[in-house]
Amino acid sequence: MGDSVAGRLFSVLDAFEAGGGSGGPGVLRLTDIAARTGLPAPTALRLVRELVAWGGLERGADGRYRLGLRLRVLGAAAPCPRGLLDAALPALRALGARTGGHADLAVLAGPTADGVLCLVGGDRPPPHATAYGKVLLAAPPAELPRHTRHTVVSPGVLAGQLARVRAAGLAVCAEEFRLGEVTVAAPVRGGSGTVGALGVTVSTGVPLDRVVAAVRAAAARVRPPEPAP
C-alpha cells in the first residue's frame, strides 16, 4: 500500500477484509493488525488509535477492534435511502454500545421481493442466511446456497421461518452465514409497512435475551421519513 501515512492507514483498514483473527469473527486484536499489515506494533497502535478517534474503528471493552460505524456510513451506497439511514443512526449507535455487537441497517434492493440484501456499509450477505433477510423476505428466494452446515436451504423450512418472523416481529439467525456469528434483527416500519431491518451481529454464546430486547427497542425508535408526495 506504500509508506505514506495514508497508505499505512489504508493497510490497517484492509486488514479487516479477510475477516476476524484470533480475537474472533469480525474483530481483530492489535497483534492481528500488526501481523496482517507488517507494521511494527507501536506504529499499528498509533494508527489504530487515530482511526478509533475518527470513528473508523471501534474498540471493545476487551481491547478488540472492529470496523466503526462512521466508516460503514461512508460506505453506505445508494441502496439504503439516505433519509432512512439518517433516521436510524442514533438507534444504531445506541444498539452497538448496548450490546457490544456490530449494528446494521438493511434494505432489499431490486425489482423483486427476493432482491439483494444491502447493509449500511455496502455489504451484501445472502438474504436467506441472515436475520436481516428473514425480516425482509416475503418468500424464499429462488436460490438457497449453503454457507455453513447451519444454513437453511429447504424452501419449505425457510417459508415457515419467514411466517414466524412476521408474526413475532423479530428474527434470530445462528451461524447460517458465518460460524461464530448470530444475527438478531427487527423490522423498521413506516407508513407503507416494513421499510428496512435493524439489528446486530454478536458472537455465538452471547446471552440473547438482552440482545433481543435491545434490538426491539432500537428498531422501535426509528421514525422513517415520509415519502415525498
Side-chain angles (χ1 to χ4, degrees), residues 77-153:
C80 185
R82 184 71 220 184
L84 176 58
L85 177 57
D86 289 340
L89 276 177
L92 285 169
R93 293 190 178 106
L95 180 60
R98 185 175 175 185
T99 63
H102 194 76
D104 273 303
L105 176 71
V107 296
L108 281 177
T112 63
D114 62 348
V116 177
L117 181 66
C118 298
L119 301 184
V120 165
D123 292 339
R124 298 191 173 193
H128 70 288
T130 69
Y132 302 97
K134 292 180 193 289
V135 166
L136 296 171
L137 286 171
E143 296 184 5
L144 299 173
R146 185 181 297 280
H147 297 273
T148 75
R149 64 182 181 275
H150 304 290
T151 307
V152 174
V153 294

Side-chain angles (χ1 to χ4, degrees), residues 18-123:
S22 62
V27 296
L28 296 177
R29 300 184 189 278
L30 181 63
T31 51
D32 297 321
I33 296 171
R36 290 185 179 187
T37 60
L39 295 170
T43 301
L45 177 60
R46 177 174 58 80
L47 295 174
V48 163
R49 285 175 172 170
E50 291 183 17
L51 286 166
V52 169
W54 175 69
L57 294 179
E58 297 171 357
R59 185 179 186 274
D62 57 2
R64 299 181 299 173
Y65 298 92
R66 59 169 54 86
L67 294 178
L69 183 59
R70 184 167 182 179
L71 187 65
R72 288 181 282 136
V73 168
L74 289 175
C80 185
R82 184 71 220 184
L84 176 58
L85 177 57
D86 289 340
L89 276 177
L92 285 169
R93 293 190 178 106
L95 180 60
R98 185 175 175 185
T99 63
H102 194 76
D104 273 303
L105 176 71
V107 296
L108 281 177
T112 63
D114 62 348
V116 177
L117 181 66
C118 298
L119 301 184
V120 165
D123 292 339

